[in-house]
Amino acid sequence: MSELGEKKQVKASVETIAPPAVAPSSVTSSAAPSSSLSAASPKSVASGTSISTHFNGGVAGSGKAKTGRKPRVESKLAESMPSAMISENLTASLKAALERGRPAPEAGFKIFAGNAHPQLARDIAKCLDQPLGALVNTRFANGESWCAINESIRGADVFIVQPTCAPVNDTVMELLIMCDAFRRASARRIVPIIPYFGYARQDKKVRPREPITAKLVADLISYSGADRIFAIDLHAGQIQGFFNMPVDHLPAQPIIAEYLIKNGIYDSGVTVVSPDVGGVGRATHLAERLGADLAIVAKRRPEPGKVKIIDVIGDVEDQVCVLIDDMIDSAGTFCAAANELADRGAREIYGCATHPVLSGDAVRRIADSAIKELIVTDTIPIPPERMISKITVLSVAEVCAQAILRIHHDDSVSTMFESF
């Protein structure tokens, strides 16, 4: 075949497959529907470029729209929630929020309880005037945990109330399994409410070849499907950085300070005492709220399980002393500090802690110590057989309830205590 004949055949082939030219206005208009081929310029069609581009996924620059989770429904609250921490005002603000046209709870968010602290979950649900979600959480004969969600949670914000308290390994594993179940059930957002975070004291390596278990647990919760975390008084603030997600971390000092003020324990004549050097920051915050002085107990551990008080920095003689810590576990350090304050002439001694772990002989030590009253919160359930007359339990249910509303509506959580 001659060279002229070959050129005519190629030109005929191109004209056969090329679509008709499109006006420039249709190319620039985003409203007019058109195919990938018709949206291309005549020049690109003639060169064959638009045809190959279409078959490989569409014209360049016109990729598919990204799909993601459902857009948030804007809060219908007429105004932001009050930030006062006083219980009466907080309860009133919760009721007011429910009456101002907040979206129906069953359509917006749901609260579920693990086996660690079902009473706290019921108290939170009562503050929000809605029932707990339908969830079965049990074990197989061989000890494996298993759960089943008995209602639709598709597109809802799910809040799981589960402090990882004793038995710690069981409650942690149960939380992971629940998060996985909610993720596979298409929850819009999964938020574990962890008032007490177990393994928090293993947040660094003290000796070589030790694990950092707090980071490990944070990774497990992240990988299980959680989207953000709500916690109260973490043992160390840097644990927030162990999570690869937002962490809403609130202190319990405002709740404790409110109780002390109502009982006249504030201002001059009161000294807030840190039982060790590591808790000075916590004690300083409480002292500022109470308008009180500050003292520090310096101690050392000659051997595991034993505490020796070296000195008390600050004036405690004839003072009402308030010992403050984030948790009371075996109560050895706490009670030793209280007895030392009594020996140095303290008039009255009150103990305060957020998390009443109370393991081993802790209750007996507290009963035999110089502590007049131990004020704790219900981040961890205390069995009835371990309750004594010295222990006063304050509820964090209203704080958790307001935090849930604020998280659900994407409002600020940290401002809850600003006006206290």
Side-chain angles (χ1 to χ4, degrees), residues 288-326:
E288 290 174 351
R289 291 180 179 275
L290 299 179
D293 296 327
L294 179 67
I296 305 167
V297 175
K299 72 177 191 304
R300 68 181 182 89
R301 294 182 182 274
E303 58 183 271
K306 292 189 177 181
V307 178
K308 182 178 180 181
I309 304 297
I310 299 175
D311 195 8
V312 176
I313 305 170
D315 184 17
V316 298
E317 186 176 358
D318 200 32
Q319 291 284 100
V320 175
C321 293
V322 178
L323 275 166
I324 177 70
D325 210 345
D326 66 317

Side-chain angles (χ1 to χ4, degrees), residues 164 168-170 172 196-204 212-215 217-218 235 239 242 327:
T164 52
V168 181
N169 295 336
D170 292 341
V172 168
Y196 169 74
F197 181 69
Y199 285 107
R201 284 174 286 184
Q202 299 185 41
D203 60 337
K204 59 183 176 295
I212 302 180
T213 318
K215 169 60 175 170
V217 174
H235 183 65
I239 293 176
F242 291 173
M327 70 176 73

Side-chain angles (χ1 to χ4, degrees), residues 62-376:
S62 61
K64 295 181 180 179
K66 294 183 179 179
T67 58
R69 293 183 174 180
K70 295 180 181 180
R72 291 207 58 82
V73 178
E74 293 185 1
S75 170
K76 293 185 180 180
L77 292 178
E79 55 188 42
S80 60
M81 294 284 290
S83 57
M85 184 47 231
I86 300 177
S87 298
E88 292 80 0
N89 292 341
L90 180 53
T91 303
S93 68
L94 288 172
K95 292 180 179 178
L98 294 171
E99 294 171 356
R100 284 202 298 264
R102 181 178 55 80
E106 58 270 18
F109 67 90
K110 296 177 183 290
I111 303 172
F112 290 85
N115 288 327
H117 202 341
Q119 183 57 51
L120 176 59
R122 286 191 289 267
D123 292 342
I124 294 173
K126 184 178 179 181
C127 289
L128 295 171
D129 193 23
Q130 76 170 87
L132 288 175
L135 175 71
V136 176
N137 221 326
T138 184
R139 296 180 183 278
F140 291 111
N142 64 354
E144 293 179 358
S145 295
W146 173 85
C147 76
I149 308 163
N150 291 334
E151 63 179 281
S152 173
I153 49 90
R154 183 180 296 273
D157 283 348
V158 171
F159 296 88
I160 309 169
V161 181
Q162 178 81 340
T164 52
C165 51
V168 181
N169 295 336
D170 292 341
T171 53
V172 168
M173 195 65 205
E174 189 177 279
L175 175 61
L176 300 178
I177 292 173
M178 286 189 290
C179 287
D180 183 73
F182 287 116
R183 176 176 62 87
R184 297 177 188 277
S186 301
R188 179 177 171 276
R189 187 165 51 176
I190 301 170
V191 185
I193 304 295
I194 310 177
Y196 169 74
F197 181 69
Y199 285 107
R201 284 174 286 184
Q202 299 185 41
D203 60 337
K204 59 183 176 295
K205 292 177 66 174
V206 179
R207 292 181 292 272
R209 299 176 295 280
E210 283 188 342
I212 302 180
T213 318
K215 169 60 175 170
L216 172 62
V217 174
D219 285 341
L220 290 173
I221 295 174
S222 301
Y223 296 145
S224 68
D227 293 292
R228 70 187 302 129
I229 300 293
F230 174 81
I232 297 177
D233 263 347
L234 291 170
H235 183 65
Q238 64 265 24
I239 293 176
Q240 298 175 66
F242 291 173
F243 292 92
N244 298 320
M245 65 182 78
V247 176
D248 294 305
H249 179 223
L250 289 182
Q253 284 96 330
I255 302 174
I256 295 172
E258 177 194 349
Y259 176 83
L260 293 172
I261 291 172
K262 284 184 176 180
N263 287 273
I265 306 171
Y266 65 96
D267 211 356
S268 60
V270 176
T271 299
V272 176
V273 183
S274 174
D276 53 38
V277 176
V280 172
R282 187 179 302 107
T284 301
H285 291 157
L286 182 61
E288 290 174 351
R289 291 180 179 275
L290 299 179
D293 296 327
L294 179 67
I296 305 167
V297 175
K299 72 177 191 304
R300 68 181 182 89
R301 294 182 182 274
E303 58 183 271
K306 292 189 177 181
V307 178
K308 182 178 180 181
I309 304 297
I310 299 175
D311 195 8
V312 176
I313 305 170
D315 184 17
V316 298
E317 186 176 358
D318 200 32
Q319 291 284 100
V320 175
C321 293
V322 178
L323 275 166
I324 177 70
D325 210 345
D326 66 317
M327 70 176 73
I328 297 180
D329 189 355
S330 63
T333 300
F334 205 82
C335 290
N339 294 335
E340 182 68 21
L341 295 175
D343 293 341
R344 291 175 180 254
R347 183 157 33 102
E348 290 180 342
I349 301 169
Y350 294 86
C352 302
T354 304
H355 311 298
V357 180
L358 302 180
S359 60
D361 293 332
V363 175
R364 179 187 58 79
R365 291 191 182 102
I366 292 168
D368 296 340
S369 71
I371 297 174
K372 179 178 180 180
E373 182 181 6
L374 177 63
I375 304 155
V376 298

